[in-house]
Amino acid sequence: MDKHDHVEALPPYRALLVVDIKNFSGRRGRFHAELTEAVPEILEQAFQRAGLSGLWQEHRYRSTTGDGYVAGFRAEMLPFLLNPFLPALQEELEYRNTVGWRPAGEEPLRMRVSVNVGPMTDSGRGISDGSGESRVENHRLLDSEPVRDLLSRSGKPTCVAAIVSERAFADAVATGYTGEDEALYVRVPVSQKTYRGAAYLRVPKPSGDLLDRGFRNEVEAAEDPDGRQETATNSTVIHHASGPLHSGSGNQFNGETQNIVGRNTGGIHQSFDRRDR
């Protein structure tokens, strides 16, 4: 036996897109089959909106998950899965919700999306194509609390909430290939089953609490204080302050020309030197 027989070549790198319909099981059973069949049609229409019809036709493999869909593409196409595809998917879902698309029922059609890149099998011969650790990571990200929380805390206008792996962000966004500002993505810690890592959230059209408090909830912000998102706060500047400062919740700082950082829910009572009056 050759001493290198235990070594295997990596499978090819692929970009993987996975989507999932919010509250699929909460919809009437009579619509489930129609929704399942409609997901690839919705994705295809979104690719057309983005001017990427050819990319959709070139996918390496695809499969349904019942309440969602999986599609693999050549790794070099990764940037296009983030921009312009994600905004185009938002537009397509908005359109279907506006015209009262029947399978959606009274609840608007909204989707979670995960995007990753990495080595995955691609033989072109069977249902095992797209297998690998990167595929598992895709599904862990899609099922994680940070991206689920985005649709829970947003309103009907928000139809798409995406989560992007660190590798995909580094390869496509941080390098400038998507043509987007990195500030559109918010870093969050992810803990889902045995998976532990970090990822980036992207919402093409935020609404509701996402506009008020941002993409990260309080737990995520505490676990990852160095994340890219800056928490919105109400702040006041006190010049040459002296004496005790009484305020509401949040971190408070008293001193010469200091900001009060945090969301103030109480009154501020302060005495000042004569020179400040």
Side-chain angles (χ1 to χ4, degrees):
M1 184 178 68
D2 191 286
K3 64 179 181 180
H4 300 303
D5 284 349
H6 63 284
V7 180
E8 293 188 16
L10 278 172
Y13 272 63
R14 296 291 181 241
L16 193 66
L17 173 74
V18 184
V19 304
D20 183 89
I21 297 175
K22 176 178 169 56
N23 195 31
F24 178 88
S25 61
R27 301 172 190 270
R28 293 187 177 184
R30 61 177 291 192
F31 296 131
H32 286 185
E34 192 172 354
L35 277 171
T36 297
E37 294 173 356
V39 173
E41 176 190 332
I42 293 171
L43 296 179
E44 183 175 11
Q45 289 296 319
F47 274 94
Q48 288 183 4
R49 281 181 178 270
L52 300 172
S53 297
L55 178 56
W56 175 252
Q57 298 302 325
E58 293 174 5
H59 62 263
R60 299 298 304 172
Y61 40 79
R62 58 183 177 179
S63 63
T64 181
T65 61
D67 59 353
Y69 206 75
V70 177
F73 303 87
R74 290 180 291 124
E76 56 265 35
M77 297 294 104
L78 172 64
F80 299 99
L81 300 182
L82 302 176
N83 186 41
F85 173 72
L86 291 179
L89 180 59
Q90 165 71 32
E91 293 174 4
E92 178 64 23
L93 293 175
E94 276 189 290
Y95 167 75
R96 290 175 181 259
N97 291 333
T98 300
V99 299
W101 190 51
R102 189 175 70 93
E106 295 181 359
E107 183 177 353
L109 192 61
R110 308 167 77 199
M111 287 185 175
R112 300 192 311 278
V113 180
S114 70
V115 178
N116 195 12
V117 64
M120 304 177 210
T121 56
D122 185 7
S123 66
R125 297 191 302 269
I127 60 175
S128 64
D129 282 348
S131 298
E133 290 294 330
S134 299
R135 168 74 175 271
V136 174
E137 183 180 14
N138 258 90
H139 290 281
R140 295 292 180 263
L141 293 178
L142 188 70
D143 292 336
S144 66
E145 183 60 28
V147 70
R148 287 181 176 274
D149 184 62
L150 291 176
L151 292 184
S152 297
R153 294 194 296 115
S154 58
K156 293 180 180 180
T158 300
C159 300
V160 172
I163 186 165
V164 181
S165 73
E166 275 199 303
R167 179 184 294 171
F169 178 86
D171 289 352
V173 182
T175 54
Y177 282 101
T178 63
E180 301 172 292
D181 193 313
E182 292 182 40
L184 293 172
Y185 294 78
V186 177
R187 187 178 187 273
V188 291
V190 178
S191 176
Q192 179 66 20
K193 293 187 177 180
T194 59
Y195 176 81
R196 299 291 184 276
Y200 289 81
L201 302 176
R202 172 79 165 97
V203 181
K205 189 173 183 177
S207 63
D209 195 51
L210 302 185
L211 294 176
D212 182 31
R213 299 178 183 271
F215 290 3
R216 302 196 306 169
N217 60 37
E218 294 179 0
V219 174
E220 293 159 1
E223 292 178 353
D224 187 22
D226 296 326
R228 291 177 176 271
Q229 182 185 21
E230 295 180 1
T231 304
T233 60
N234 295 331
S235 60
T236 304
V237 178
I238 306 296
H239 295 280
H240 305 291
S242 62
L245 176 67
H246 306 286
S247 183
S249 60
N251 299 321
Q252 311 297 332
F253 299 94
N254 183 13
E256 188 169 325
T257 318
Q258 294 289 328
N259 286 326
I260 298 175
V261 181
R263 187 174 299 278
N264 179 43
T265 57
I268 296 178
H269 307 284
Q270 179 66 53
S271 61
F272 297 88
D273 293 338
R274 292 182 180 274
R275 59 184 173 179
D276 289 329
R277 295 181 180 177

